[in-house]
Amino acid sequence: TNREGYGMTTLKMLLKGKGHDVWSVHPDDTVLDAIKMLAEKDIGALIVIKDDKPVGIFTERDYARNVYLKGKSSLDTAVRDVMVAPVICVKPDKTVDECMALMTAKRFRHLPIMDGDELVGMVSIGDLVKSVIAEQQFTIEQMEQYIHS
């Protein structure tokens, strides 16, 4: 990985370690289908795809706030009615720092990565934080080796 400084890692580098898996649902799918997939895959968010394009994001938080707390039925509610749209996507050359700043400013926790028209991955705020911690750990180890040599 790139060691030019904290947060300089790009999403492309991050995806090499994390993988490119992205789980998705269609806007017409029921919220129940989406919740089942979140549980099955042990993830917190799904990309909503229509005509091969990301049109929204559905998260556990959206379910809790917009379905469960409002007394809606998971069986009768379509993902399109509770998804967050439009979806903000970034290119793989964005850095961890840039993405953390964007996610903090816009107050969301999941970021799809688009390479041209192709959805190549998704990162969560947790993925970004882990990356920064790993970089800091690497720097600390380098300093300790330097001090003890």
Side-chain angles (χ1 to χ4, degrees):
T1 44
N2 186 343
R3 298 293 174 199
E4 291 172 19
Y6 300 144
M8 293 303 293
T9 299
T10 64
L11 295 180
K12 190 174 187 173
M13 296 169 175
L14 200 69
L15 287 178
K16 274 185 189 158
K18 177 187 180 347
H20 293 266
D21 288 348
V22 182
W23 303 104
S24 64
V25 287
H26 189 274
D28 296 336
D29 289 345
T30 67
V31 165
L32 184 63
D33 290 333
I35 287 292
K36 281 181 178 173
M37 187 180 285
L38 288 176
E40 195 182 296
K41 306 295 181 194
D42 194 24
I43 53 174
L46 296 166
I47 305 267
V48 186
I49 304 264
K50 184 179 180 192
D51 301 326
D52 292 330
K53 295 207 173 5
V55 294
I57 288 193
F58 175 81
T59 68
E60 291 170 324
R61 181 180 276 193
D62 300 323
Y63 169 74
R65 292 178 181 182
N66 300 325
V67 181
Y68 183 78
L69 286 177
K70 291 183 180 171
K72 293 181 186 174
S73 161
S74 304
L75 275 170
D76 306 330
T77 305
V79 168
R80 74 168 68 253
D81 298 330
V82 293
M83 68 184 188
V84 173
V87 59
I88 295 174
C89 299
V90 292
K91 294 178 179 161
D93 62 357
K94 286 279 178 236
T95 66
V96 166
D97 267 6
E98 289 170 321
C99 295
M100 284 180 98
L102 176 66
M103 292 166 97
T104 303
K106 302 279 186 190
R107 298 181 61 116
F108 59 85
R109 305 163 79 87
H110 299 89
L111 192 55
I113 305 160
M114 296 287 290
D115 197 352
D117 287 338
E118 190 187 355
L119 180 63
V120 294
M122 179 156 70
V123 290
S124 69
I125 194 78
D127 296 327
L128 301 181
V129 169
K130 270 187 217 156
S131 169
V132 171
I133 290 169
E135 285 185 10
Q136 291 173 349
Q137 193 59 44
F138 178 83
T139 303
I140 290 166
E141 286 165 12
Q142 296 292 95
M143 286 176 165
E144 285 174 344
Q145 285 175 7
Y146 176 75
I147 293 164
H148 297 301
S149 60

